Amino acid sequence: MEYVEFFEELKKEDVDIAGGKGANLGELTQAGIPVPPGFVITSATYQKFMDETGITQEIMDILDALDVNNNKELQESALKIKKIIKETEIPGEISSLIVEAYNALCHRIGKENAFVAVRSSATAEDLPEASFAGQQDTYLNVKGPEDLIKYVRKCWASLFGARAIFYREENDFDHSKVYIAVVVQEMVDAEKAGVMFTVHPSTGEEKILIEAAWGLGEAVVSGTVTPDTYWVNKNGGEVLEQQISEKKIMFQKKSENGQTVQVPVPEDLKNKQVLDSNEIAQLVELGKKIQEHYQFPQDTEWAIEDGKIFMLQSRPVTTLDMSTAKGETVQEGERTVITKGLGASPGMAAGNVKIINTTDELDKVQEGDILVTVMTTPDMVPAMKRANGIITDEGGVTCHAAIVSRELGIPCVVGTRDATSILPENSQVTLDGNKGIVWEGKLVETEKKQETTEEPAVVIKAPLTVTEVKVNVSMSEAAKKAAATGADGVGLLRTEHMMLTTGVHPKKYINEGNEAELVRVLVENILKVADSFYPKPVWYRTLDAPTDEFQSLDGGEGEPYEHNPMLGWRGIRRELDEPEILLAEFKAVKKLHEQGYTNIGIMLPLVQHPDELKEAKKIARKAGLKPQKDIEFGIMVETPAAAMTIEDFIAEGLDFVSFGTNDLTQYTLAIDRNNEQVADLYTESHPAVLKLIERVIIECNKAGVKTSICGQAGSIPTIVEKLVELGITSVSANTDAVATVRETVARVEKKLLLKAARKMMQE
């Protein structure tokens, strides 16, 4: 029985010993594809480790005593088992084999103590039926035998995550007969890297798509840089279309410690084309060769170091047979780009430019126009609904314009910096909400949008998942459209739009003795959502509008000026200063509960101290509500303070938490998420953000507190994968992303079943 196999000794059928990733890298190597060299620590090695150390019985005893339906007990048991594996010394015979293989790899590539990537490789990854890429633990820039042994144990321990244990228990799989392999592969210190699809990823057309950027491929894969894009005729090899972007940042490996860091792109490279014609031709030939070998279109990752191309990964394209957007027929011919920004809401739209400088001009926007403004505000929503598309000067992918546009299904480009100054009023333009481009003229025919208030004809059928997939709702008019996604409830019902679109400052209602009217407005709007989803849960977030959004309202003349309202008087901090508004919100929810809509829960925004939760509960009781008894009460985790002291909030008492990753990211990274100057640095995938989220999930699972995510990161598949593996209770996505997120969640959950099932079949 082999305990270590180099890639040259493996083929795609060796999933049972090398896992999906290891077998696939072996297959590529044997096919003559340039793959960074490496080896696989086989599943037999893991089995030998477990048997020889005698920890199998200790682990089985923990599992035998476990009630998997007790979430706290499940999480504690998973942590205990992982600790046992990570702290158990690997027997000398096994560790010697691993170190010998590592030394042989170092000798082969001519580098002493070479940097390697260490990846767990399970049996259901990267198969044509479903792509499970990126689901397993991966550790980059591991150096030296000691670190290698440490991270191999971490990979082995990943087999006993809480969710993996749960699935095996629920489906009567024997934990002692489930194994895992580990891939050890040379790291490529790329000067340029990217992705390549061997066919059009949506339509399946015989066109190769290459995206390229400077440095390591993380910048392209994570979306933190706009890469160069090349469309190549697969048959003739000619470049059909290319777009050279301004690439502001890149990822590099620090030579002294191997850590990956984000750095500015040198000025002479920012606007320089990444790939030359020879490199494009080489990539195309490799892409054709890989697809021909697998007999299936492939999604690949590549890197170039010292002029040599390496293929880092290849997996089946899983997005084929997707139809193009309804009503969009792109005209062929010359296209003139007027301006570029960030693609914030997908799709293409064309129409007449209507520049809005003040809210007094909103009537200019008629059905089918393109609304162009510096940045949208809540009182622009009625005009946004009439528009075919939105273009803004400012903002990032989580700004108001982006969020509302995605919810309405309207293409949107944000952060152009100059749209309001260079687009002539009433001129015709076409915008691409995927690429963030605005073209001159009318290049698409866009059908009139279906009104969101219409009853949807069909409710989408979706795969059943243990992890709930919910939806974010900003406007009550969009409730039916959101419910038609088949979502498991509303993870975020925003108050701002329903309250501020009245045009009257909520404090004015109170000051004029008209609280009843404010309560009526809230009841009317919340009811539409609660009724559309009943009996599924609807988590109502209390008011969280920055002061600049109040200033244009009737009664908002006295609003303070704040240099950065995002960091100022907003969320629960404002509502505790003006408790009359919060009390009115609680009274509205109380009225709805009395009418039988007990599916409504309350969520407090921007908390940073448990005393805020305590005070809000007092106000809720004044309105006749009983937090944690007759109504679910929770908080948004949007500040590092809340994440780092989550135990104190749990002690104060709460039913759920929800991550607002838009704010959590901006506060953790000190980046204004509405500032296009730093938008390229904004990423929810930053390790610090993910560590804060992981910490909260672990602590909440211990205490039996539900966890969810409702920020933009809830619509990013790679982040969703990580959250599901950590054991998050639910994921709440934008309406347009519910189906994709549901599919991602289902695949993550099925992965563990498939992995265990394949092992059982080998017995």
Side-chain angles (χ1 to χ4, degrees), residues 573-587:
R573 60 186 63 164
R574 174 172 186 147
E575 293 212 292
L576 291 179
D577 286 344
E578 296 183 331
E580 304 89 352
I581 299 175
L582 186 59
L583 180 62
E585 293 180 76
F586 288 159
K587 285 182 178 180

mmCIF file with all atom_site columns, all heavy atoms in Angstrom, residues 573-587:
data_model
loop_
_atom_site.group_PDB
_atom_site.id
_atom_site.type_symbol
_atom_site.label_atom_id
_atom_site.label_alt_id
_atom_site.label_comp_id
_atom_site.label_asym_id
_atom_site.label_entity_id
_atom_site.label_seq_id
_atom_site.pdbx_PDB_ins_code
_atom_site.Cartn_x
_atom_site.Cartn_y
_atom_site.Cartn_z
_atom_site.occupancy
_atom_site.B_iso_or_equiv
_atom_site.pdbx_formal_charge
_atom_site.auth_seq_id
_atom_site.auth_comp_id
_atom_site.auth_asym_id
_atom_site.auth_atom_id
_atom_site.pdbx_PDB_model_num
ATOM 1   N N   . ARG A 1 573 ? -27.190 53.458 17.892 1.00 0.00 ? 573 ARG A N   1
ATOM 2   C CA  . ARG A 1 573 ? -26.665 54.569 18.697 1.00 0.00 ? 573 ARG A CA  1
ATOM 3   C C   . ARG A 1 573 ? -27.565 55.793 18.553 1.00 0.00 ? 573 ARG A C   1
ATOM 4   O O   . ARG A 1 573 ? -27.801 56.522 19.524 1.00 0.00 ? 573 ARG A O   1
ATOM 5   C CB  . ARG A 1 573 ? -25.222 54.884 18.298 1.00 0.00 ? 573 ARG A CB  1
ATOM 6   C CG  . ARG A 1 573 ? -25.041 55.275 16.850 1.00 0.00 ? 573 ARG A CG  1
ATOM 7   C CD  . ARG A 1 573 ? -23.581 55.442 16.449 1.00 0.00 ? 573 ARG A CD  1
ATOM 8   N NE  . ARG A 1 573 ? -22.829 54.201 16.554 1.00 0.00 ? 573 ARG A NE  1
ATOM 9   C CZ  . ARG A 1 573 ? -21.645 53.991 15.983 1.00 0.00 ? 573 ARG A CZ  1
ATOM 10  N NH1 . ARG A 1 573 ? -21.081 54.948 15.277 1.00 0.00 ? 573 ARG A NH1 1
ATOM 11  N NH2 . ARG A 1 573 ? -21.033 52.850 16.121 1.00 0.00 ? 573 ARG A NH2 1
ATOM 12  N N   . ARG A 1 574 ? -28.086 56.017 17.330 1.00 0.00 ? 574 ARG A N   1
ATOM 13  C CA  . ARG A 1 574 ? -28.996 57.143 17.150 1.00 0.00 ? 574 ARG A CA  1
ATOM 14  C C   . ARG A 1 574 ? -30.353 56.839 17.775 1.00 0.00 ? 574 ARG A C   1
ATOM 15  O O   . ARG A 1 574 ? -30.966 57.697 18.418 1.00 0.00 ? 574 ARG A O   1
ATOM 16  C CB  . ARG A 1 574 ? -29.174 57.449 15.667 1.00 0.00 ? 574 ARG A CB  1
ATOM 17  C CG  . ARG A 1 574 ? -30.243 58.523 15.448 1.00 0.00 ? 574 ARG A CG  1
ATOM 18  C CD  . ARG A 1 574 ? -30.332 59.018 14.039 1.00 0.00 ? 574 ARG A CD  1
ATOM 19  N NE  . ARG A 1 574 ? -31.286 60.136 13.976 1.00 0.00 ? 574 ARG A NE  1
ATOM 20  C CZ  . ARG A 1 574 ? -31.188 61.165 13.155 1.00 0.00 ? 574 ARG A CZ  1
ATOM 21  N NH1 . ARG A 1 574 ? -30.171 61.243 12.315 1.00 0.00 ? 574 ARG A NH1 1
ATOM 22  N NH2 . ARG A 1 574 ? -32.076 62.125 13.161 1.00 0.00 ? 574 ARG A NH2 1
ATOM 23  N N   . GLU A 1 575 ? -30.822 55.624 17.603 1.00 0.00 ? 575 GLU A N   1
ATOM 24  C CA  . GLU A 1 575 ? -32.169 55.295 18.085 1.00 0.00 ? 575 GLU A CA  1
ATOM 25  C C   . GLU A 1 575 ? -32.256 55.291 19.607 1.00 0.00 ? 575 GLU A C   1
ATOM 26  O O   . GLU A 1 575 ? -33.337 55.504 20.157 1.00 0.00 ? 575 GLU A O   1
ATOM 27  C CB  . GLU A 1 575 ? -32.601 53.951 17.511 1.00 0.00 ? 575 GLU A CB  1
ATOM 28  C CG  . GLU A 1 575 ? -32.803 54.022 16.002 1.00 0.00 ? 575 GLU A CG  1
ATOM 29  C CD  . GLU A 1 575 ? -33.895 53.094 15.519 1.00 0.00 ? 575 GLU A CD  1
ATOM 30  O OE1 . GLU A 1 575 ? -33.709 51.874 15.587 1.00 0.00 ? 575 GLU A OE1 1
ATOM 31  O OE2 . GLU A 1 575 ? -34.943 53.603 15.076 1.00 0.00 ? 575 GLU A OE2 1
ATOM 32  N N   . LEU A 1 576 ? -31.152 55.037 20.279 1.00 0.00 ? 576 LEU A N   1
ATOM 33  C CA  . LEU A 1 576 ? -31.182 55.135 21.739 1.00 0.00 ? 576 LEU A CA  1
ATOM 34  C C   . LEU A 1 576 ? -31.113 56.593 22.188 1.00 0.00 ? 576 LEU A C   1
ATOM 35  O O   . LEU A 1 576 ? -31.571 56.934 23.282 1.00 0.00 ? 576 LEU A O   1
ATOM 36  C CB  . LEU A 1 576 ? -30.033 54.330 22.350 1.00 0.00 ? 576 LEU A CB  1
ATOM 37  C CG  . LEU A 1 576 ? -30.159 52.806 22.204 1.00 0.00 ? 576 LEU A CG  1
ATOM 38  C CD1 . LEU A 1 576 ? -28.964 52.108 22.824 1.00 0.00 ? 576 LEU A CD1 1
ATOM 39  C CD2 . LEU A 1 576 ? -31.459 52.292 22.808 1.00 0.00 ? 576 LEU A CD2 1
ATOM 40  N N   . ASP A 1 577 ? -30.559 57.465 21.328 1.00 0.00 ? 577 ASP A N   1
ATOM 41  C CA  . ASP A 1 577 ? -30.590 58.908 21.609 1.00 0.00 ? 577 ASP A CA  1
ATOM 42  C C   . ASP A 1 577 ? -31.969 59.486 21.315 1.00 0.00 ? 577 ASP A C   1
ATOM 43  O O   . ASP A 1 577 ? -32.381 60.481 21.911 1.00 0.00 ? 577 ASP A O   1
ATOM 44  C CB  . ASP A 1 577 ? -29.549 59.636 20.753 1.00 0.00 ? 577 ASP A CB  1
ATOM 45  C CG  . ASP A 1 577 ? -28.124 59.400 21.247 1.00 0.00 ? 577 ASP A CG  1
ATOM 46  O OD1 . ASP A 1 577 ? -27.967 58.937 22.393 1.00 0.00 ? 577 ASP A OD1 1
ATOM 47  O OD2 . ASP A 1 577 ? -27.187 59.656 20.481 1.00 0.00 ? 577 ASP A OD2 1
ATOM 48  N N   . GLU A 1 578 ? -32.675 58.878 20.332 1.00 0.00 ? 578 GLU A N   1
ATOM 49  C CA  . GLU A 1 578 ? -34.033 59.298 19.967 1.00 0.00 ? 578 GLU A CA  1
ATOM 50  C C   . GLU A 1 578 ? -34.970 58.098 20.099 1.00 0.00 ? 578 GLU A C   1
ATOM 51  O O   . GLU A 1 578 ? -35.476 57.558 19.112 1.00 0.00 ? 578 GLU A O   1
ATOM 52  C CB  . GLU A 1 578 ? -34.053 59.834 18.536 1.00 0.00 ? 578 GLU A CB  1
ATOM 53  C CG  . GLU A 1 578 ? -33.214 61.094 18.349 1.00 0.00 ? 578 GLU A CG  1
ATOM 54  C CD  . GLU A 1 578 ? -33.315 61.652 16.928 1.00 0.00 ? 578 GLU A CD  1
ATOM 55  O OE1 . GLU A 1 578 ? -33.527 60.865 15.975 1.00 0.00 ? 578 GLU A OE1 1
ATOM 56  O OE2 . GLU A 1 578 ? -33.194 62.871 16.772 1.00 0.00 ? 578 GLU A OE2 1
ATOM 57  N N   . PRO A 1 579 ? -35.203 57.646 21.327 1.00 0.00 ? 579 PRO A N   1
ATOM 58  C CA  . PRO A 1 579 ? -35.951 56.404 21.543 1.00 0.00 ? 579 PRO A CA  1
ATOM 59  C C   . PRO A 1 579 ? -37.391 56.440 21.052 1.00 0.00 ? 579 PRO A C   1
ATOM 60  O O   . PRO A 1 579 ? -38.023 55.390 20.886 1.00 0.00 ? 579 PRO A O   1
ATOM 61  C CB  . PRO A 1 579 ? -35.885 56.218 23.066 1.00 0.00 ? 579 PRO A CB  1
ATOM 62  C CG  . PRO A 1 579 ? -35.638 57.600 23.614 1.00 0.00 ? 579 PRO A CG  1
ATOM 63  C CD  . PRO A 1 579 ? -34.794 58.279 22.594 1.00 0.00 ? 579 PRO A CD  1
ATOM 64  N N   . GLU A 1 580 ? -37.914 57.644 20.790 1.00 0.00 ? 580 GLU A N   1
ATOM 65  C CA  . GLU A 1 580 ? -39.297 57.735 20.314 1.00 0.00 ? 580 GLU A CA  1
ATOM 66  C C   . GLU A 1 580 ? -39.464 57.032 18.956 1.00 0.00 ? 580 GLU A C   1
ATOM 67  O O   . GLU A 1 580 ? -40.510 56.429 18.691 1.00 0.00 ? 580 GLU A O   1
ATOM 68  C CB  . GLU A 1 580 ? -39.722 59.203 20.179 1.00 0.00 ? 580 GLU A CB  1
ATOM 69  C CG  . GLU A 1 580 ? -39.577 60.017 21.468 1.00 0.00 ? 580 GLU A CG  1
ATOM 70  C CD  . GLU A 1 580 ? -38.202 60.644 21.614 1.00 0.00 ? 580 GLU A CD  1
ATOM 71  O OE1 . GLU A 1 580 ? -37.309 60.311 20.786 1.00 0.00 ? 580 GLU A OE1 1
ATOM 72  O OE2 . GLU A 1 580 ? -37.998 61.458 22.533 1.00 0.00 ? 580 GLU A OE2 1
ATOM 73  N N   . ILE A 1 581 ? -38.433 57.136 18.115 1.00 0.00 ? 581 ILE A N   1
ATOM 74  C CA  . ILE A 1 581 ? -38.515 56.488 16.798 1.00 0.00 ? 581 ILE A CA  1
ATOM 75  C C   . ILE A 1 581 ? -38.461 54.977 16.962 1.00 0.00 ? 581 ILE A C   1
ATOM 76  O O   . ILE A 1 581 ? -39.250 54.241 16.361 1.00 0.00 ? 581 ILE A O   1
ATOM 77  C CB  . ILE A 1 581 ? -37.366 56.978 15.879 1.00 0.00 ? 581 ILE A CB  1
ATOM 78  C CG1 . ILE A 1 581 ? -37.472 58.485 15.652 1.00 0.00 ? 581 ILE A CG1 1
ATOM 79  C CG2 . ILE A 1 581 ? -37.409 56.227 14.545 1.00 0.00 ? 581 ILE A CG2 1
ATOM 80  C CD1 . ILE A 1 581 ? -36.304 59.069 14.859 1.00 0.00 ? 581 ILE A CD1 1
ATOM 81  N N   . LEU A 1 582 ? -37.550 54.502 17.791 1.00 0.00 ? 582 LEU A N   1
ATOM 82  C CA  . LEU A 1 582 ? -37.434 53.063 18.027 1.00 0.00 ? 582 LEU A CA  1
ATOM 83  C C   . LEU A 1 582 ? -38.713 52.515 18.654 1.00 0.00 ? 582 LEU A C   1
ATOM 84  O O   . LEU A 1 582 ? -39.188 51.432 18.282 1.00 0.00 ? 582 LEU A O   1
ATOM 85  C CB  . LEU A 1 582 ? -36.232 52.783 18.931 1.00 0.00 ? 582 LEU A CB  1
ATOM 86  C CG  . LEU A 1 582 ? -35.877 51.304 19.165 1.00 0.00 ? 582 LEU A CG  1
ATOM 87  C CD1 . LEU A 1 582 ? -35.575 50.600 17.854 1.00 0.00 ? 582 LEU A CD1 1
ATOM 88  C CD2 . LEU A 1 582 ? -34.691 51.185 20.116 1.00 0.00 ? 582 LEU A CD2 1
ATOM 89  N N   . LEU A 1 583 ? -39.303 53.270 19.553 1.00 0.00 ? 583 LEU A N   1
ATOM 90  C CA  . LEU A 1 583 ? -40.553 52.847 20.192 1.00 0.00 ? 583 LEU A CA  1
ATOM 91  C C   . LEU A 1 583 ? -41.664 52.710 19.147 1.00 0.00 ? 583 LEU A C   1
ATOM 92  O O   . LEU A 1 583 ? -42.455 51.757 19.188 1.00 0.00 ? 583 LEU A O   1
ATOM 93  C CB  . LEU A 1 583 ? -40.955 53.847 21.279 1.00 0.00 ? 583 LEU A CB  1
ATOM 94  C CG  . LEU A 1 583 ? -42.253 53.539 22.038 1.00 0.00 ? 583 LEU A CG  1
ATOM 95  C CD1 . LEU A 1 583 ? -42.141 52.223 22.790 1.00 0.00 ? 583 LEU A CD1 1
ATOM 96  C CD2 . LEU A 1 583 ? -42.591 54.683 23.013 1.00 0.00 ? 583 LEU A CD2 1
ATOM 97  N N   . ALA A 1 584 ? -41.728 53.650 18.204 1.00 0.00 ? 584 ALA A N   1
ATOM 98  C CA  . ALA A 1 584 ? -42.745 53.581 17.145 1.00 0.00 ? 584 ALA A CA  1
ATOM 99  C C   . ALA A 1 584 ? -42.549 52.331 16.293 1.00 0.00 ? 584 ALA A C   1
ATOM 100 O O   . ALA A 1 584 ? -43.529 51.670 15.905 1.00 0.00 ? 584 ALA A O   1
ATOM 101 C CB  . ALA A 1 584 ? -42.678 54.837 16.272 1.00 0.00 ? 584 ALA A CB  1
ATOM 102 N N   . GLU A 1 585 ? -41.287 51.990 16.001 1.00 0.00 ? 585 GLU A N   1
ATOM 103 C CA  . GLU A 1 585 ? -41.022 50.776 15.229 1.00 0.00 ? 585 GLU A CA  1
ATOM 104 C C   . GLU A 1 585 ? -41.493 49.539 15.987 1.00 0.00 ? 585 GLU A C   1
ATOM 105 O O   . GLU A 1 585 ? -42.117 48.636 15.416 1.00 0.00 ? 585 GLU A O   1
ATOM 106 C CB  . GLU A 1 585 ? -39.522 50.666 14.924 1.00 0.00 ? 585 GLU A CB  1
ATOM 107 C CG  . GLU A 1 585 ? -39.011 51.737 13.979 1.00 0.00 ? 585 GLU A CG  1
ATOM 108 C CD  . GLU A 1 585 ? -37.527 51.580 13.705 1.00 0.00 ? 585 GLU A CD  1
ATOM 109 O OE1 . GLU A 1 585 ? -37.167 50.675 12.935 1.00 0.00 ? 585 GLU A OE1 1
ATOM 110 O OE2 . GLU A 1 585 ? -36.729 52.347 14.287 1.00 0.00 ? 585 GLU A OE2 1
ATOM 111 N N   . PHE A 1 586 ? -41.180 49.489 17.285 1.00 0.00 ? 586 PHE A N   1
ATOM 112 C CA  . PHE A 1 586 ? -41.595 48.343 18.093 1.00 0.00 ? 586 PHE A CA  1
ATOM 113 C C   . PHE A 1 586 ? -43.119 48.258 18.192 1.00 0.00 ? 586 PHE A C   1
ATOM 114 O O   . PHE A 1 586 ? -43.687 47.163 18.204 1.00 0.00 ? 586 PHE A O   1
ATOM 115 C CB  . PHE A 1 586 ? -40.978 48.446 19.492 1.00 0.00 ? 586 PHE A CB  1
ATOM 116 C CG  . PHE A 1 586 ? -39.492 48.169 19.524 1.00 0.00 ? 586 PHE A CG  1
ATOM 117 C CD1 . PHE A 1 586 ? -38.715 48.624 20.581 1.00 0.00 ? 586 PHE A CD1 1
ATOM 118 C CD2 . PHE A 1 586 ? -38.873 47.457 18.511 1.00 0.00 ? 586 PHE A CD2 1
ATOM 119 C CE1 . PHE A 1 586 ? -37.353 48.374 20.625 1.00 0.00 ? 586 PHE A CE1 1
ATOM 120 C CE2 . PHE A 1 586 ? -37.507 47.202 18.539 1.00 0.00 ? 586 PHE A CE2 1
ATOM 121 C CZ  . PHE A 1 586 ? -36.737 47.654 19.598 1.00 0.00 ? 586 PHE A CZ  1
ATOM 122 N N   . LYS A 1 587 ? -43.790 49.411 18.261 1.00 0.00 ? 587 LYS A N   1
ATOM 123 C CA  . LYS A 1 587 ? -45.259 49.408 18.307 1.00 0.00 ? 587 LYS A CA  1
ATOM 124 C C   . LYS A 1 587 ? -45.838 48.840 17.018 1.00 0.00 ? 587 LYS A C   1
ATOM 125 O O   . LYS A 1 587 ? -46.849 48.123 17.028 1.00 0.00 ? 587 LYS A O   1
ATOM 126 C CB  . LYS A 1 587 ? -45.785 50.831 18.547 1.00 0.00 ? 587 LYS A CB  1
ATOM 127 C CG  . LYS A 1 587 ? -45.612 51.318 19.977 1.00 0.00 ? 587 LYS A CG  1
ATOM 128 C CD  . LYS A 1 587 ? -46.187 52.715 20.158 1.00 0.00 ? 587 LYS A CD  1
ATOM 129 C CE  . LYS A 1 587 ? -46.055 53.190 21.609 1.00 0.00 ? 587 LYS A CE  1
ATOM 130 N NZ  . LYS A 1 587 ? -46.608 54.567 21.798 1.00 0.00 ? 587 LYS A NZ  1
#
